Amino acid sequence: MNNLQLDKQHQQYVKKLKREKYEIVTWQIFILLAFLSLWELAGRLTWIDPLLFSYPTKIASLFLTKLYDGSLLLHTSVTLLETVAGFMIGTVLGTAFAAVLWWSRKASKISDPYLVVLNSMPKVALGPIIIVALGPGYLSIITMGASISIIITTLVIYHAFHTVEPNYIKVIRSFGGNKKQIFREVILPASFPAIISTLKVNVGLSWVGVIVGEFLVSKQGLGYMIIYGFQVFNFTLVLLSLFMIAIFSSIMYLGVEWLERKLIKH
Amino acid sequence: MSFLQLNAISHVYLTESAAKEALSDLSFSIAEGEFVSLLGPSGCGKSTLLSIISGLLQPTEGTVSLQNKMIQSPGERMGYMLQQDYLFPWKTIEDNCYIGLKLLNKLTPEKKEITLALLDSMGLSDVRHAYPDQLSGGMRQRVALVRTLATDPDLLLLDEPFSALDYQTKLKLEDLVFQTLKAHQKTAILVTHDIGEAIAMSDRIILLSPRPGKIAKIFQVPSQLQTLLPFEARNDPVFPENFQMIWKELDSLEQSPT
């Protein structure tokens, strides 16, 4: 086969890939539009109770009202700030604990049963105690966002540290490398994939912690908006909050994926 | 005065269920520039012995000294090559070669230049910015050789470095390692279970018997084979008889009850 034919085949293949991609995006948009219009129609024709399930244009108009009076921006930014803070604190402290456990075998053995108990404990159940201890404010909510991810982060990343190919460590040791150098040159970079996948899980977890925290503290934030909407039976408000959560948690997830591409090239 | 001296080395592995004697009262010495192979069946503790010589492992009893200095921890005097390359996949080829210098705090522009020249002499200068996963097994093991030589060690310890390669690559790499070590006048110890490889590459072969590891016999490789490239040595008329002799010895070790 000559080059011209090969080129042609390649072009056809690329075309086919493009067409497939186009088809998938079309389907995705179609499903979204179909869902929204069906919802709208069902709400307006009262196939479903619009008081409970609302409908998209009603949510959109509430979105605009809340956007103009500034309250949506306030609640969203409060929640976002708390979530990002909880996420970062949980991940950084979890990784730091994992490093300590890796450093000292004895520490890891001693803490093992405690970690097991703490891990199986539903962290949101600690909510009331955290609020009483730290006061009903940002601090408690951020603590809840962080506490929900910290133990699982510690466990997963410690496991990753521990299962690094021992021969990589041998390479460093054969050059006289010390423990700090082993950690920096091998353990940490080799564990980046595991760290990234915990980050992905932690995005979801810290949202859970923060929303539940806001349910309990009930002052500000999207969690507060949900609880308030529920109490006054304004489900349009509840759905608007859910919509905002969906948008921002997806953005955070995309942020982690961006970090993944930056950090892990090979 | 010998270059490397092992004095009554014994090593015991302790586990919860038992204490196992891996090496028992081993002594030998190696002259500067010599290439010695440690040959033996599995379980003869040859890799353990190499770890002890490198300072990675402290022997239960006995001492190792290099140029009359005791070895207690690994460092720049030793170069260690493992069974596989174990290049760091997240580092470029160039950075992989610098790792030893970096760890020893010796990454100077001159040393970098020497390392790059070494990389070039192995036909790897095109791939210096590539990552290990883009290279073939033979190329990767060549990079590992550069990484080992970059710190300019006095003694090279080769722990079956060719065992994970296909036959053709292995033969080529044997020649390359042989030439490189001779050119840099390095002393080397090769651990292997491949009789042919031991004869083709070394000046002397130390045969170990298993459980616990002891010196069974020491063979002097005929001088005409010592100077030949490994590939040529394998084709030399005296190669087969030496192979047969060591084969029989090794065979009797594996069969004799211990």
Side-chain angles (χ1 to χ4, degrees):
Chain A
M1 213 185 292
N2 61 34
N3 276 341
L4 214 69
Q5 274 173 307
L6 273 179
D7 255 13
K8 210 171 167 190
Q9 280 196 334
H10 179 244
Q11 276 168 7
Q12 276 173 347
Y13 178 70
V14 170
K15 226 181 194 168
K16 197 181 137 210
L17 283 184
K18 254 190 196 156
R19 203 166 43 230
E20 212 173 82
K21 207 171 157 188
Y22 182 74
E23 206 177 315
I24 287 170
V25 173
T26 311
W27 266 108
Q28 286 168 337
I29 293 173
F30 172 76
I31 289 172
L32 181 70
L33 290 179
F35 172 73
L36 287 178
S37 13
L38 199 68
W39 186 6
E40 181 79 24
L41 203 67
R44 289 201 184 237
L45 299 177
T46 61
W47 296 343
I48 53 172
D49 187 346
L51 196 63
L52 293 182
F53 298 108
S54 194
Y55 46 81
T57 49
K58 215 167 143 187
I59 298 171
S61 79
L62 184 69
F63 172 79
L64 291 176
T65 323
K66 292 273 175 196
L67 194 65
Y68 289 135
D69 72 13
S71 60
L72 188 63
L73 204 64
L74 174 75
H75 290 301
T76 308
S77 54
V78 163
T79 303
L80 204 59
L81 201 80
E82 289 163 347
T83 311
V84 171
F87 169 77
M88 303 258 244
I89 294 170
T91 309
V92 169
L93 281 185
T95 311
F97 282 152
V100 170
L101 298 184
W102 176 82
W103 194 272
S104 158
R105 243 184 116 66
K106 209 169 224 167
S108 92
K109 279 184 178 162
I110 292 170
S111 57
D112 186 56
Y114 299 103
L115 285 172
V116 169
V117 172
L118 285 173
N119 183 46
S120 33
M121 172 105 98
K123 259 68 68 181
V124 290
L126 297 173
I129 295 172
I130 292 176
I131 289 166
V132 170
L134 299 175
Y138 298 122
L139 198 59
S140 292
I141 296 172
I142 292 172
T143 307
M144 282 190 72
S147 67
I148 202 165
S149 56
I150 194 165
I151 304 295
I152 190 70
T153 304
T154 306
L155 289 174
V156 171
I157 293 184
Y158 172 63
H159 179 75
F161 284 172
H162 210 69
T163 46
V164 169
E165 168 64 50
N167 281 310
Y168 284 143
I169 299 171
K170 199 168 175 181
V171 169
I172 300 289
R173 286 193 58 214
S174 76
F175 288 115
N178 58 30
K179 208 162 182 178
K180 205 169 113 192
Q181 287 171 319
I182 291 173
F183 186 78
R184 209 180 44 214
E185 296 292 342
V186 176
I187 301 294
L188 201 59
S191 304
F192 277 154
I195 293 177
I196 290 289
S197 53
T198 16
L199 286 184
K200 286 181 178 168
V201 176
N202 286 356
V203 167
L205 286 179
S206 23
W207 277 94
V208 173
V210 165
I211 295 299
V212 172
E214 288 178 348
F215 280 0
L216 294 174
V217 173
S218 278
K219 263 188 182 165
Q220 268 178 340
L222 295 171
Y224 160 73
M225 263 168 71
I226 291 175
I227 278 290
Y228 177 76
F230 171 59
Q231 282 163 351
V232 301
F233 233 74
N234 180 356
F235 279 86
T236 309
L237 188 63
V238 173
L239 286 164
L240 175 61
S241 314
L242 287 179
F243 174 73
M244 298 305 289
I245 292 172
I247 295 286
F248 284 100
S249 57
S250 306
I251 290 175
M252 265 176 87
Y253 190 86
L254 290 177
V256 173
E257 279 193 332
W258 174 82
L259 191 71
E260 179 175 26
R261 280 196 300 275
K262 281 249 128 173
L263 223 49
I264 303 168
K265 287 183 189 131
H266 290 274
Chain B
M1 189 187 80
S2 50
F3 185 70
L4 179 80
Q5 178 73 49
L6 272 73
N7 268 321
I9 298 285
S10 294
H11 193 72
V12 175
Y13 279 117
L14 295 171
T15 63
E16 219 164 306
S17 53
K20 219 180 96 198
E21 196 178 19
L23 296 170
S24 159
D25 195 25
L26 254 132
S27 301
F28 62 86
S29 61
I30 291 175
E32 184 157 15
E34 205 181 3
F35 193 121
V36 174
S37 286
L38 296 173
L39 183 71
S42 56
C44 71
K46 49 192 192 291
S47 286
T48 305
L49 186 58
L50 207 64
S51 288
I52 289 174
I53 298 173
S54 73
L56 283 169
L57 190 68
Q58 285 302 310
T60 313
E61 273 172 59
T63 56
V64 181
S65 46
L66 183 65
Q67 290 173 311
N68 287 328
K69 273 188 239 156
M70 285 256 283
I71 288 176
Q72 265 144 353
S73 61
E76 59 192 303
R77 300 161 72 198
M78 305 280 185
Y80 200 103
M81 236 178 128
L82 289 89
Q83 288 178 10
Q84 286 169 46
D85 53 83
Y86 293 109
L87 298 176
F88 300 130
W90 53 85
K91 281 185 191 290
T92 60
I93 296 307
E94 195 177 340
D95 287 339
N96 264 296
C97 293
Y98 293 153
I99 185 74
L101 293 168
K102 192 178 168 194
L103 291 168
L104 294 164
N105 251 328
K106 286 195 166 171
L107 196 55
T108 58
E110 297 103 286
K111 292 273 185 189
K112 273 191 182 180
E113 213 165 291
I114 294 170
T115 309
L116 286 180
L118 207 56
L119 207 57
D120 192 30
S121 74
M122 305 220 178
L124 292 165
S125 49
D126 304 345
V127 295
R128 54 185 272 209
H129 298 301
Y131 285 86
D133 60 0
Q134 295 163 294
L135 269 59
S136 69
M139 285 168 101
R140 293 168 61 125
Q141 198 56 296
R142 278 188 336 235
V143 177
L145 179 63
V146 174
R147 175 180 67 187
T148 311
L149 291 172
T151 54
D152 196 22
D154 299 324
L155 176 66
L156 263 109
L157 304 168
L158 312 170
D159 190 359
E160 302 190 43
F162 313 113
S163 59
L165 301 169
D166 61 85
Y167 195 64
Q168 224 179 341
T169 313
K170 171 183 151 126
L171 291 184
K172 282 185 190 161
L173 212 60
E174 280 177 13
D175 280 9
L176 181 73
V177 169
F178 184 85
Q179 279 173 314
T180 314
L181 296 191
K182 290 285 176 246
H184 292 86
Q185 294 170 326
K186 298 287 180 199
T187 314
I189 301 176
L190 170 75
V191 157
T192 183
H193 54 247
D194 180 338
I195 302 170
E197 186 173 288
I199 302 171
M201 294 197 74
S202 29
D203 302 326
R204 204 149 49 107
I205 299 170
I206 296 176
L207 191 64
L208 298 175
S209 64
R211 281 170 291 272
K214 268 189 292 225
I215 295 177
K217 207 160 185 178
I218 296 179
F219 295 94
Q220 193 70 37
V221 175
S223 53
Q224 62 190 104
L225 291 183
Q226 286 181 19
T227 47
L228 287 176
L229 276 176
F231 188 78
E232 289 162 7
R234 283 176 196 266
N235 291 321
D236 196 272
V238 301
F239 184 85
E241 52 191 275
N242 279 279
F243 188 95
Q244 286 304 325
M245 185 171 68
I246 299 177
W247 167 269
K248 276 182 196 139
E249 204 69 46
L250 196 62
D251 209 32
S252 71
L253 285 181
E254 276 174 336
Q255 271 158 21
S256 66
T258 41

